[in-house]
């Protein structure tokens, strides 16, 4: 039971994963300019180009197909639970239709995602509860999965408001200029891509419906979303079989563009509430059916979260290139959510050097304040402090070999939340701070 218990705590982050609302970032991308796939082999934005002009023509008509493949070689070089290298990866195909550009009716947007992973990651080896290889946990951990995490439709009813319904890829929420995504383009640690305290509240892929509000008509200037989401969704299922009004999460999130120092920035604020019955971190220790979190069976869980990004150097305003800072904060109920507070702060850069317009880099640190839950097992109830606060650091440099081939060396140092290999024998097998080295290759087709 004991070793499984600690291994399962890392699997906590690999089972339900990755909240946050998809709509804010999604709406901004829906109104983005048409992509340009043309150019020579070494200068165009994608490896396969414009398909003899057909791809650009389809994009002008509102139909896009985007495919990328991300491969990661990563290993725990020192400390952690075990020292071993692993290789794995993930591919993602995104299909989008703009009904207005297609000549059907204005304001309609269809989004479909197909996603699969392969190989192995080191997320069970560093001793932390936050994955150090965010890319590997999608669409369903640990590997060899092919799922449809998103199939949704949005309809704008005016220039100011619209509605969305369907199966949502929720990782598009909690948007940040320098620290966001699935671990395939910027940071690899989940702590810098999404706010990890919200992992218990919203699954990565789930059924949902909501309202999108654009106060100024411009989704890049300000956007507000209000959503109702199933708390039991999975990328591998449709979600209709588990849809239940007693297992819901409600979310409100707003993001506004700022102009501090005469340079672009953003402020984001959100809140979540879930009525799903759950114990502390239920059901994260599911690898061992005799070991589970024991709590009060609380049906109320809440969280508030905030993030910001701010350019400090921006050669051309609004270009998406320059140097800036970012940060996140969250507070939760503490029970049933054992991740009570979260803080992160970092520095990011994109296209800072004119000679390297597609390069990016980042450095950041995070701190996770943990409230230890009680555990029950074959031996009864115990409340040992088997977890500690977790903190870590990450640095990366993404070098564009071509605009469609990005090679990224990465280093992380993580003092994981797990104290010992066996929580019932705290005087032996202490888990030391882990150093994780990795290299990532992303190919954009």
């Amino acid at each position: 039971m004991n070793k499984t218990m600690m291994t399962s705590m890392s699997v906590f982050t690999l089972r339900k994963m990755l909240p946050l609302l998809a709509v804010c970032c999604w709406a901004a991308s829906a109104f983005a300019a048409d992509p340009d796939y043309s150019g020579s082999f070494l200068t165009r934005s994608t490896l396969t180009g414009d398909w003899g002009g057909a791809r650009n023509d389809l994009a002008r008509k509102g139909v896009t197909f985007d495919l990328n493949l991300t491969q990661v070689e990563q290993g725990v070089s020192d400390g952690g639970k075990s020292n071993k290298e692993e290789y794995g990866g993930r591919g993602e195909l995104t299909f989008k239709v703009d009904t207005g550009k297609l000549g059907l009716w204005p304001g309609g947007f269809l989004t479909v995602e197909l996603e699969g992973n392969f190989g192995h990651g080191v997320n069970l080896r560093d001793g932390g509860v936050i994955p150090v290889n965010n890319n590997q946990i999608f669409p369903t951990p640990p590997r060899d999965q092919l799922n449809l995490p998103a199939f949704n439709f949005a309809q704008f009813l005016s220039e100011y408001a619209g509605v969305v319904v369907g199966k949502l890829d929720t990782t598009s929420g909690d948007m940040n200029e320098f620290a966001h995504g699935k671990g395939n383009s910027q940071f690899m640690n989940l702590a810098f891509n999404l706010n990890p305290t919200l992992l218990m509240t919203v699954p990565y892929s789930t059924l949902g419906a909501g309202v999108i509000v654009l106060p100024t008509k411009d989704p890049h200037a300000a956007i507000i979303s209000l959503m109702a989401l199933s708390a039991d969704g999975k990328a591998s299922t449709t979600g209709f079989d588990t849809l239940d009004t007693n297992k819901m999460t409600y979310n409100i999130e707003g993001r506004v563009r700022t102009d501090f120092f005469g340079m672009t920035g953003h402020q984001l604020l959100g809140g979540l509430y879930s009525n799903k019955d759950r114990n502390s971190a239920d059901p994260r220790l599911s690898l061992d059916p005799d070991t589970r979190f024991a709590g009060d069976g609380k049906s109320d869980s809440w969280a508030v979260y905030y993030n910001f990004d701010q350019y400090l150097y921006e050669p051309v305003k609004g270009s998406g290139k320059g140097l800036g800072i970012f940060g996140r904060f969250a507070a939760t109920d503490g029970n049933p959510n054992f991740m009570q507070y979260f803080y992160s702060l970092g520095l990011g850069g994109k296209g800072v050097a004119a000679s390297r317009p597609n390069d990016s880099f980042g450095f950041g640190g995070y701190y996770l304040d943990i409230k230890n839950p009680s555990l029950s097992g074959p031996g009864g109830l115990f409340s040992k402090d088997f977890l500690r606060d977790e903190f870590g650091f990450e640095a990366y440099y993404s070098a564009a070999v071509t605009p469609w081939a990005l090679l990224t060396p990465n280093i992380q140092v993580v003092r994981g939340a797990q104290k010992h290999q066996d929580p019932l024998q705290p005087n032996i097998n202490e888990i030391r701070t882990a150093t994780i080295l990795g290299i990532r290759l992303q190919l954009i087709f």
Side-chain angles (χ1 to χ4, degrees):
M1 176 188 89
N2 302 329
K3 290 185 178 179
T4 303
M5 182 186 307
M6 297 310 293
T7 299
S8 301
M9 179 53 67
S10 283
V11 174
F12 152 53
T13 45
L14 307 179
R15 292 282 305 192
K16 274 277 197 187
M17 294 161 296
L18 309 185
L20 286 189
L21 180 61
V23 175
C24 283
C25 175
W26 171 90
S29 66
F31 289 98
D34 294 338
D36 183 4
Y37 301 102
S38 59
S40 67
F41 181 71
L42 295 179
T43 62
R44 62 198 186 200
S45 61
T46 61
L47 189 154
T48 59
D50 63 1
W51 306 342
R55 197 174 189 182
N56 279 338
D57 185 55
L58 285 170
R60 285 190 291 270
K61 295 177 180 178
V63 180
T64 60
F65 300 83
D66 293 305
L67 174 65
N68 70 78
L69 173 66
T70 303
Q71 303 170 78
V72 175
E73 180 78 21
Q74 192 178 40
V76 179
S77 63
D78 185 61
K81 298 174 70 175
S82 63
N83 300 145
K84 186 177 180 181
E85 291 186 14
E86 298 284 7
Y87 166 78
R90 179 178 63 88
E92 183 177 27
L93 172 65
T94 304
F95 171 68
K96 293 184 178 181
V97 176
D98 179 333
T99 61
K101 291 180 179 178
L102 196 56
L104 299 177
W105 66 87
F109 301 93
L110 173 69
T111 300
V112 181
E113 291 180 16
L114 179 66
E115 188 174 44
N117 58 7
F118 58 90
H120 298 271
V122 297
N123 291 318
L124 298 178
R125 302 185 183 281
D126 67 299
V129 296
I130 301 177
V132 295
N133 182 357
N134 195 20
N135 183 72
Q136 191 64 32
I137 63 179
F138 301 106
T140 306
R143 63 190 179 99
D144 299 336
Q145 300 288 324
L146 183 64
N147 299 146
L148 200 71
F151 197 115
N152 55 75
F153 184 76
Q155 179 64 54
F156 276 80
L157 308 175
S158 74
E159 295 175 306
Y160 295 96
V163 294
V164 61
V165 63
K167 193 175 184 183
L168 299 170
D169 172 352
T170 60
T171 61
S172 298
D174 196 27
M175 182 64 184
N176 191 283
E177 185 79 5
F178 303 109
H180 180 261
K182 295 184 179 181
N184 59 344
S185 59
Q186 294 180 334
F187 290 92
M188 288 184 62
N189 193 303
L190 184 143
F192 300 109
N193 290 303
L194 293 166
N195 204 312
T197 59
L198 307 172
L199 295 173
M200 289 185 58
T201 314
V202 182
Y204 156 53
S205 173
T206 191
L207 291 177
V211 177
I212 310 158
V213 179
L214 308 177
T216 66
K217 301 183 184 180
D218 181 1
H220 301 285
I223 184 167
I224 301 169
S225 58
L226 301 94
M227 296 290 293
L229 305 165
S230 170
D232 269 350
K234 296 180 181 179
S236 57
T237 67
T238 63
F240 289 103
D241 57 332
T242 57
L243 191 60
D244 187 336
T245 56
N246 294 316
K247 297 179 180 180
M248 298 294 293
T249 294
Y250 304 95
N251 172 249
I252 181 170
E253 180 178 294
R255 188 173 189 244
V256 61
R257 185 173 60 202
T258 60
D259 192 35
F260 299 136
F261 319 114
M263 286 174 278
T264 303
H266 299 90
Q267 300 283 323
L268 183 149
L269 183 65
L272 295 167
Y273 168 77
S274 179
N275 66 355
K276 178 184 176 182
D277 287 330
R278 61 183 90 223
N279 294 321
S280 290
D282 158 54
R284 314 308 175 175
L285 300 185
S286 56
L287 287 191
D288 185 346
D290 294 322
T291 304
R292 60 184 64 85
F293 279 103
D296 300 326
K298 295 184 65 175
S299 60
D300 299 311
S301 181
W302 60 265
V304 293
Y305 58 97
Y306 163 79
N307 89 46
F308 78 93
D309 57 71
Q310 177 61 54
Y311 277 96
L312 302 178
Y313 168 71
E314 191 179 22
V316 179
K317 190 170 181 177
S319 65
K321 298 184 185 299
L323 179 69
I325 57 174
F326 68 88
R328 280 186 172 91
F329 167 77
T332 76
D333 48 71
N335 179 19
N337 191 344
F338 71 90
M339 296 183 178
Q340 189 163 22
Y341 299 104
F342 174 77
Y343 316 83
S344 71
L345 189 66
L347 175 75
K350 300 191 293 182
V352 174
S355 60
R356 304 290 305 172
N358 297 305
D359 285 10
S360 64
F361 61 88
F363 173 78
Y366 73 89
Y367 191 93
L368 178 63
D369 189 321
I370 288 180
K371 184 176 181 180
N372 268 274
S374 297
L375 294 178
S376 67
L381 179 70
F382 66 96
S383 58
K384 282 182 175 293
D385 290 339
F386 68 102
L387 295 178
R388 58 192 173 189
D389 292 351
E390 177 172 319
F391 60 85
F393 304 90
E394 179 178 355
Y396 79 91
Y397 189 95
S398 179
V401 182
T402 70
W404 46 262
L406 307 175
L407 188 64
T408 307
N410 173 287
I411 182 171
Q412 300 181 51
V413 178
V414 175
R415 202 287 295 270
Q418 299 178 36
K419 290 183 179 182
H420 305 93
Q421 298 277 7
D422 185 342
L424 298 182
Q425 301 184 57
N427 297 321
I428 61 174
N429 296 327
E430 180 179 359
I431 299 175
R432 298 184 296 113
T433 298
T435 300
I436 305 104
L437 301 177
I439 190 162
R440 176 182 67 202
L441 176 64
Q442 183 187 39
L443 300 175
I444 304 170
F445 295 93

